[in-house]
Amino acid sequence: MGQPTPATDDGWWRSAVIYQVYVRSFADGDGDGTGDLAGVRARLPYLAELGVDALWFTPWYRSPMKDGGYDVADYRAIDPAFGTLAEAEKLIAEARELGIRTIVDIVPNHVSDQHPWFRAALAGGPGRELFHFRPGRGEHGELPPNDWQSEFGGPAWTRLPDGDWYLHLFAPEQPDLNWAHPAVRQEHEDILRFWFERGVAGVRVDSAALLAKDPELPDVTDGRAPHPYVDRDELHDVYRAWRAVADEYGAVFVGEVWLPDTERFARYLRPDELHTAFNFSFLTCPWDADRLRTSIDDTLAEHAPVGAPATWVLCNHDVTRTVTRYGRADTGFDFATKAFGTPTDLALGTRRARAAALLSLALPGAVYVYQGEELGLPEADIPPDRIEDPMHVRSGGTDPGRDGCRVPLPWAAGEPHAGFGGDPWLPQPDGWAAYAADRQAEDPGSMLSLYRAAIRLRPEFGDGPLTWLPAPDGVLAFTRADALCVVNLADTPVDLPSHTELLLHSGPLDTTGRLPGDTAVWLRA
C-alpha cells in the first residue's frame, strides 16, 4: 500500500493540467480488447512527455458495467477487466515518481444493483433504509411514487415483484442511496480514506448536486422550492465532512456540479467544501467570441468571492468530441441530443479545436484534457448494434449515446487495431490509424505536438489575473504576466498586437504576418 499524501497543500491543483483517463478505452495491456491498468502503466512515459500534472481516472472499480463503470459494486476493488488493487497501487506510485498525481472518481449518488447493500435490501429488512423504497400510487400501487424522470429517459422508479418501487435517477441498475442515513455518510468517508491512504491526490465527485432528496419525495411538477433532489442545502454538510477528511491527507476535490445559478454554484467552492468544480458553461459555449468572453468573465467572477480557481474543459467522456462539435454550422452543444444531425466539416473543426486548445490552456485556473483530444480525434459513428450506452437504449434509440467519444485510442499506425491492443470493445472507424500517437509524435505540426508545446509553455502566463486587450469584433485578446493570447474567431485575418516574440500558434499566419480566422497565437509582450 502506498504512503498517505502528506497533510500539506502546495496549491498544485490551482493551475494544473489534468488528463482524463477512460480506462476501458485508453490502452489494452493484455490483448483482450478492453483497456486496463497495465495499458495505462505502459503509457505513463507518453503522459509524462505530454506534460500533464495529474490523471483523473473514471471509475475503475468492480462493476457490472451497465453504465461504463458508474454503477459501482465494490469501491475497494478494481474491476477484474482492468486489473487488481495491487496494480492500481503500483500505477499510483509509478505515476507519482514521474511527477503525475492521481485523481479517482467517486459516484456518491448511487451504487450498482449488484452492490452488497442493495442485494441485502432486496431481501427485505432494515437494509432498505439505505435506499429510497416506496409503495406506488394508484389503486393497486401500479404507478410510480412520484413524477421524477431518469436522466437516461423514462421514470426514475422501478417496481419490484413485492410491489415496492425503488428510486434511480439514472439507470435501473443504479439505485440511489439515501443520504439522510448516517451509514451512507460514514461509508463514503471511509472510502475516501481508503484511497487517500493509497496515495490518491484527489477525488472527482460525480453528480455532486444530486445526492440529497426531499424526504417527502414530492412531484417535481409541484413547483415547490427548493428542488426535491437538485442542489439541496443539506448537501453542504456532506461536503464539509468530506473536506475535513481530505485536509488530513492534503487531497483535493473537483465536483461535477451542473447549476445555472452562479451564486448557488459558488457555494460548493467555499473554503471548507470542494476545492474546484467543472466549468460547463465554457464547454457548452458555441464558437463565438462574444459568448466565449462572457463565459470566461462569468466563470472568473463566480469563483472570485470564494477564492477558488476556475476549471476549463473542452470535452469529456459524456459529450461530443471538440473537433466534431466545432465543425458544425451550429457549434452550440445540446446535452440532450448531442447536436447530432448537423453535417460536420472536420477540417474546420480541427482548426477551431487547435485554437480552442490554446485559448483554454492560456486561461487562469486548471485545465482538464480528455484522452484523445490531444490527438484531435473526431466523434465516431458507432453501429447501432454495437452501442452500449444506456442512454441510447432508454431513449428508444433516438439518443445516439456517448460511445462515440469513447472509442479506444489509436497508438501505432502500423499495428493491428492502431496499436490499442486486442480487438476493441467499441469498433474503431476506418482511418483511425491516421490519428495514431506514434505518427503524430514525429510531426511538428500535429495536434499532439501542439498540445505538448502548449503545456510546456503554459507557465509563460504565470499565476496572475487575466486582462482583456482591445480587439476587433470576433477576436479575443488578453494578457497574463508577460504573455498574450489572441484568438481570431472571425472570417478575416487581423493584425497581431505589439509583441517581442511569437511563442506558439495553432496554425500558420498568412503571408503578411496576420492572424487568420479560427487561429490562435501566444505571444511574449
Side-chain angles (χ1 to χ4, degrees), residues 336-355:
T337 66
K338 312 295 186 301
F340 269 65
T342 306
T344 294
D345 180 341
L346 289 183
L348 174 64
T350 299
R351 287 199 306 274
R352 290 174 169 176
R354 290 173 64 89

Side-chain angles (χ1 to χ4, degrees), residues 106-372:
I106 296 294
V107 191
N109 179 71
H110 49 264
V111 293
S112 165
D113 62 355
Q114 301 303 305
H115 191 283
W117 280 8
F118 193 70
R119 292 168 71 94
L122 292 181
R128 292 203 171 190
E129 297 175 1
L130 302 174
F131 300 90
H132 299 277
F133 285 86
R134 295 292 189 277
R137 297 192 289 193
E139 183 178 356
H140 304 291
E142 73 277 10
L143 300 176
N146 63 28
D147 66 356
W148 297 5
Q149 295 295 297
S150 164
E151 296 288 323
F152 291 166
W157 295 90
T158 290
R159 195 180 193 188
L160 298 170
D162 65 9
D164 267 357
W165 298 73
Y166 69 89
L167 175 67
H168 52 85
L169 290 181
F170 294 86
E173 296 85 0
Q174 296 167 291
D176 278 36
L177 290 164
N178 175 15
W179 273 86
H181 198 292
V184 173
R185 293 186 58 162
Q186 185 61 55
E187 169 67 358
H188 281 77
E189 290 175 26
D190 291 347
I191 290 167
L192 292 176
R193 292 182 186 278
F194 180 87
W195 286 106
F196 291 154
E197 288 172 2
R198 280 157 179 78
V200 163
V203 167
R204 180 261 189 183
V205 186
D206 181 72
S207 300
L210 301 183
L211 280 57
K213 314 295 193 292
D214 186 323
E216 296 182 12
L217 301 182
D219 286 347
V220 172
T221 52
D222 283 352
R224 67 172 70 181
H227 193 283
Y229 63 82
V230 177
D231 183 35
R232 294 184 61 80
D233 286 344
E234 53 265 42
L235 263 176
H236 297 284
D237 287 338
V238 171
Y239 293 132
R240 288 189 187 97
W242 284 25
R243 179 61 177 261
V245 174
D247 284 350
E248 294 178 28
Y249 297 88
V252 300
F253 293 114
V254 55
E256 182 191 29
V257 183
W258 290 85
L259 291 177
D261 185 324
T262 58
E263 183 177 344
R264 298 286 301 185
F265 172 87
R267 295 180 69 197
Y268 290 84
L269 301 176
R270 288 176 291 195
D272 60 346
E273 296 192 41
L274 304 180
H275 298 75
T276 61
F278 287 128
N279 166 29
F280 291 115
S281 72
F282 185 75
L283 180 154
T284 59
C285 198
W287 189 246
D288 177 272
D290 291 338
R291 292 181 63 177
L292 279 168
R293 176 166 176 167
T294 297
S295 173
I296 293 166
D297 284 341
D298 289 350
T299 297
L300 296 176
E302 71 190 17
H303 285 74
V306 288
T311 64
W312 308 101
V313 186
L314 289 174
C315 188
N316 62 32
H317 64 294
D318 286 332
V319 302
T320 303
R321 283 202 177 271
T322 310
V323 164
T324 298
R325 203 169 68 246
Y326 281 159
R328 294 183 175 134
D330 176 8
T331 56
F333 176 68
D334 185 329
F335 192 84
T337 66
K338 312 295 186 301
F340 269 65
T342 306
T344 294
D345 180 341
L346 289 183
L348 174 64
T350 299
R351 287 199 306 274
R352 290 174 169 176
R354 290 173 64 89
L358 294 197
L359 171 61
S360 63
L361 286 163
L363 293 170
V367 178
Y368 283 75
V369 178
Y370 176 49
Q371 66 179 42

Side-chain angles (χ1 to χ4, degrees), residues 84-97:
T84 65
L85 179 60
E87 234 180 329
E89 292 171 346
K90 288 180 181 178
L91 171 54
I92 293 166
E94 289 167 357
R96 194 66 186 89
E97 289 174 2

Side-chain angles (χ1 to χ4, degrees), residues 39-101:
V40 179
R41 291 174 64 199
R43 300 293 179 180
L44 283 175
Y46 167 88
L47 295 165
E49 188 172 0
L50 184 59
V52 299
D53 300 294
L55 305 177
W56 156 35
F57 289 89
T58 54
W60 55 14
Y61 316 106
R62 186 183 298 276
S63 167
M65 296 292 166
K66 298 297 184 181
D67 181 26
Y70 282 87
D71 49 320
V72 178
D74 185 351
Y75 264 117
R76 296 173 178 84
I78 299 297
D79 193 89
F82 300 150
T84 65
L85 179 60
E87 234 180 329
E89 292 171 346
K90 288 180 181 178
L91 171 54
I92 293 166
E94 289 167 357
R96 194 66 186 89
E97 289 174 2
L98 293 172
I100 301 173
R101 294 171 168 87

